[in-house]
Amino acid sequence: MSRILITSALPYVNGIKHLGNLAGSMLPADVYARFQRARRGAENVLYICATDEHGTPAELAALEEGLPIADYAAKYHRIQKSIYDGFQLSFDYFGRSSSPQNHALTQEFARTLWAGGHLDVRTTRQVYSNADKRFLPDRYVIGTCPHCGYDRARGDQCENCTRVLDPVDLIEPRSALSGSPDIEIKDTSHLFLKQSAFAGEIRTWIEGKKSEWGTVVTSIALKWLDEGLRDRGITRDLEWGVPVPDDIADGKLKGKVFYVWFDAPIEYIGATREWADAKGDPTAWERWWRAPDNADVRYVEFMGKDNVPFHTVGFPVTILGSNKSSNRPWKLVDEIKGFNWLNYYGGKFSTSQKRGIFMDQALEILPADYWRYYLIANAPESADSSFTWEHFAATVNKDLADVLGNFVNRVLKFATARFGSTVPAEGKDGPTEQDLAIRLERLIGLYTVQLEEMQFRKAAQELRAIWVAANEYVAVAAPWTTIKTDPAASAASIRTAINLIGLIAVLSAPIIPQTASALAEAVGLDPNKLIWPTGKAADELRKIKAGQAFTVPPVLFGKLLPDQVEAYEARFGGDS
RNA sequence: GGCAGCGUAGCUCAGUGGUAGAGCAGGGGAAUCAUAAUCCCUUGGUCGGCGGUUCAAAUCCGUCCGCUGCUACCA
């Protein structure tokens, strides 16, 4: 059995993430990981994620909270982790890009790249703020736009006229942090990754993946290549980060750290090493990441479209460059699943404007499965998708409460009333059960293919179709009618219907794991041992035997009422 | 400005050359086990506009309009 390595883009440590981050990388990756574990065994799947902790925004956020950056990063790592636990994200390990493991790996990659001639030192001119005592990234310099006169233009781009700027273009430039005009342009040296040398190799690679990867990914990657790959600075003048080792460039870069986009993808490997160390098997990470021991590993990355350039160009250059001088090459990604944006009422989720829903708030309102189902059924796969409370409520009420929840409830309540609390033994399967099995076999096949191909919207549609098929079965079998004339037939229908609940638990588990566990427990299955169906559907419908005790779980999904929807809109800034 | 993606039924979206599809909403019916839930049937679209290629275009090409995003020192 081949193994699958899964990573989702590292959430930035800067505060609490909103639902867009969940929908566009972590949640689909988790669904895929859960599906693959059920299919090929948990030991053949490794799902890795981590907080991305370096960079200017984190340092500034720490200043704002009055915390040392290390404490700030630790705090938000902890907070994010607990929220992801709440959403049932089943990381095998959730690491930190500031870990010692990542420091070591990042420095090792840099040394190898330096030795291989893939890095060089260049002097750049950078804005320095004397008041803030730090270099400022372009966007943290503000001033008057030379083109349109907008007086709060940022150094990278004017938000008013959308023109791309250089900080030196600005009239009356000042620091965006302190507002101080006491800034100057200073020379500073940085390491550059010679990406341009890899343009041909990257293009060949991307072209080869064109039919396999989605348009979001390949079109963004090819756009960068078409515009010409530029070499990229991979160090910064900051305190917090992975230090550039002294043995690179004769110590000329002493005191500088690597650019967050250099060390963040390496943390995929770093976090795997954290995982290996944590479980006391310190070389286990290499069996996933390095040839030849990882020959059976397929590596899949999940990310939003903003991350695509770094995963199709930057990180691959790091890997390919290092591999040129290694007899144990690093794993290059096999498949990239990219997502568009989840919008909020057609606009962006916005922290500053208090629009949209943050993950901690979402969990306060409703359990994880409500969000997980909605976000997978409406995943921004082919285009941006838009969250509205009306749509959310309609989806939850119809699909989860009416179609799934009510099915379980109607079957188990009727069964308890007529047959007690164990699965009845009477009666035999007939043509109705055969029809059901034929239908399920087809639906399970379609659903499995969609999950395997990571078509999440379609997968959710197929899962829903399975729930509908369950309702159709009981409507045709009508045990409430047959109970009057042919109690054995009624018993057989109920036995099949209870097995349907068990099967639904297995099939639903990747998307709605908490509900799946509740269903499994209700019909006497071990929720930790749900195996993906591979055999005949008819056999799947006979797994739960006569005499098995079952319980009626509390109502699985409540409905969102119109006045609640209105209240949420008011609270979260929805405008309908 | 340049580039990319999108524009299909009231809503959310499939469909990439061969007689327009799904779910929801709307309408009709059945059933009464169940969270008044379910099941069946059904109304509804000149596939953004215009032009072209083709025996045949939602699908390919051109052009225009609209929405969204990206444009490399935010990540």
Side-chain angles (χ1 to χ4, degrees):
Chain A
M1 181 68 75
S2 64
R3 293 178 289 158
I4 297 195
L5 173 63
I6 301 165
T7 61
S8 46
L10 307 189
Y12 199 58
V13 76
N14 180 12
I16 291 167
K17 305 288 105 179
H18 54 57
L19 288 182
N21 293 84
L22 182 64
S25 64
M26 291 183 277
L27 177 58
D30 180 67
V31 169
Y32 190 65
R34 287 174 176 275
F35 164 67
Q36 292 294 0
R37 288 192 193 106
R39 254 203 129 184
R40 56 185 74 215
E43 70 281 6
N44 292 314
V45 176
L46 192 67
Y47 175 28
I48 294 292
C49 195
T51 36
D52 175 13
E53 303 192 355
H54 300 135
T56 309
E59 293 196 7
L60 299 180
L63 277 178
E64 210 164 288
E65 283 205 15
L67 286 176
I69 176 64
D71 296 352
Y72 175 88
K75 172 184 169 186
Y76 279 96
H77 169 82
R78 203 165 52 243
I79 291 172
Q80 288 198 17
K81 176 72 169 80
S82 81
I83 291 171
Y84 303 150
D85 287 344
F87 274 100
Q88 307 294 305
L89 298 177
S90 60
F91 307 122
D92 287 289
Y93 199 82
F94 187 72
R96 305 181 58 186
S97 70
S98 62
S99 69
Q101 290 87 343
N102 196 41
H103 276 239
L105 279 162
T106 299
Q107 293 180 337
E108 182 188 334
F109 271 104
R111 282 194 186 98
T112 308
L113 290 168
W114 174 259
H118 305 298
L119 303 181
D120 59 12
V121 180
R122 297 181 195 176
T123 301
T124 60
R125 296 169 67 74
Q126 203 80 37
V127 177
Y128 185 84
S129 164
N130 288 308
D132 299 299
K133 301 245 182 310
R134 60 160 66 230
F135 282 96
L136 297 175
D138 290 356
R139 67 157 35 198
Y140 289 101
V141 184
I142 55 174
T144 301
C145 174
H147 303 289
C148 72
Y150 180 63
D151 67 351
R152 301 195 53 190
R154 292 190 325 213
D156 57 342
Q157 183 172 26
C158 173
E159 281 174 315
N160 188 48
C161 67
T162 75
R163 260 189 253 232
V164 178
L165 302 176
D166 200 271
V168 297
D169 297 338
L170 293 172
I171 301 159
E172 292 177 8
R174 57 197 185 272
S175 162
L177 311 182
S178 57
S180 164
D182 184 12
I183 61 177
E184 57 182 298
I185 311 284
K186 277 193 185 178
D187 280 353
T188 178
S189 295
H190 284 298
L191 277 177
F192 275 70
L193 177 63
K194 296 195 233 171
Q195 297 190 141
S196 53
F198 290 83
E201 203 171 334
I202 297 281
R203 181 182 290 277
T204 306
W205 175 58
I206 300 286
E207 298 277 3
K209 298 290 190 182
K210 218 172 167 180
S211 59
E212 198 182 331
W213 297 358
T215 4
V216 203
V217 175
T218 51
S219 67
I220 291 173
L222 289 173
K223 192 196 87 179
W224 275 54
L225 290 162
D226 290 343
E227 289 176 2
L229 270 197
R230 293 180 229 162
D231 298 337
R232 188 172 188 112
I234 57 159
T235 53
R236 292 291 183 274
D237 292 290
L238 295 172
E239 305 280 311
W240 169 244
V242 179
V244 178
D246 288 348
D247 51 312
I248 289 181
D250 305 323
K252 263 187 279 182
L253 299 165
K254 203 172 180 57
K256 296 177 195 267
V257 299
F258 286 102
Y259 175 39
V260 55
W261 261 116
F262 183 72
D263 76 67
I266 294 172
E267 168 63 5
Y268 292 140
I269 306 172
T272 313
R273 198 163 174 177
E274 293 172 52
W275 161 79
D277 287 344
K279 70 173 195 156
D281 183 1
T283 59
W285 63 281
E286 294 186 288
R287 297 197 288 275
W288 290 89
W289 282 101
R290 303 199 81 163
D293 298 339
N294 70 347
D296 62 333
V297 172
R298 189 165 72 95
Y299 175 28
V300 186
E301 292 176 347
F302 288 77
M303 70 197 66
K305 59 185 173 186
D306 53 331
N307 273 299
V308 167
F310 305 99
H311 289 79
T312 53
V313 177
F315 189 41
V317 168
T318 299
I319 296 282
L320 292 171
S322 299
N323 285 353
K324 297 224 181 287
S325 49
S326 173
N327 53 1
R328 298 177 63 206
W330 301 94
K331 185 75 191 168
L332 187 64
V333 67
D334 294 301
E335 186 149 10
I336 297 180
K337 176 68 180 178
F339 289 85
N340 292 279
W341 303 126
L342 177 72
N343 287 323
Y344 188 73
Y345 287 87
K348 282 182 109 168
F349 275 81
S350 163
T351 314
S352 53
Q353 291 172 40
K354 294 192 164 61
R355 290 185 83 242
I357 308 156
F358 287 81
M359 287 175 69
D360 55 339
Q361 300 172 321
L363 282 180
E364 283 166 22
I365 293 170
L366 289 168
D369 283 352
Y370 290 68
W371 302 104
R372 291 178 60 111
Y373 178 77
Y374 176 86
L375 293 174
I376 287 296
N378 298 286
E381 275 178 314
S382 59
D384 295 351
S385 73
S386 192
F387 180 95
T388 67
W389 285 101
E390 292 82 357
H391 192 218
F392 177 68
T395 305
V396 163
N397 292 350
K398 187 67 186 175
D399 294 1
L400 294 180
D402 293 348
V403 178
L404 174 60
N406 181 58
F407 169 74
V408 173
N409 194 248
R410 71 195 291 206
V411 166
L412 295 180
K413 277 211 168 143
F414 179 82
T416 306
R418 298 300 185 136
F419 299 101
S421 55
T422 58
V423 177
E426 299 84 358
K428 281 196 263 188
D429 291 350
T432 313
E433 286 69 33
Q434 280 173 17
D435 289 348
L436 172 66
I438 290 167
R439 190 147 174 221
L440 280 177
E441 215 154 283
R442 193 179 68 84
L443 289 170
I444 293 169
L446 290 170
Y447 178 50
T448 304
V449 167
Q450 303 295 11
L451 284 174
E452 195 63 67
E453 293 180 353
M454 300 188 283
Q455 295 295 323
F456 292 100
R457 266 178 190 267
K458 290 179 182 173
Q461 281 176 21
E462 297 301 344
L463 178 59
R464 196 197 117 98
I466 290 165
W467 300 342
V468 168
N471 276 301
E472 286 175 22
Y473 167 74
V474 292
V476 173
W480 49 86
T481 302
T482 54
I483 189 81
K484 297 168 190 161
T485 55
D486 185 357
S490 181
S493 307
I494 286 304
R495 199 165 55 245
T496 298
I498 288 175
N499 268 283
L500 266 171
I501 293 171
L503 182 55
I504 284 171
V506 176
L507 296 171
S508 307
I511 299 177
I512 46 173
Q514 287 177 319
T515 304
S517 290
L519 292 183
E521 278 169 12
V523 296
L525 298 177
D526 183 344
N528 299 313
K529 291 183 187 164
L530 300 180
I531 310 294
W532 204 256
T534 50
K536 289 264 168 216
D539 297 334
E540 297 292 334
L541 293 175
R542 293 194 194 100
K543 285 203 161 159
I544 300 170
K545 307 290 188 195
Q548 169 68 52
F550 63 86
T551 57
V552 186
V555 165
L556 293 173
F557 297 99
K559 294 196 193 189
L560 276 88
L561 305 172
D563 54 331
Q564 284 179 288
V565 171
E566 267 181 50
Y568 291 139
E569 274 181 354
R571 175 176 164 196
F572 292 97
D575 67 322
S576 37

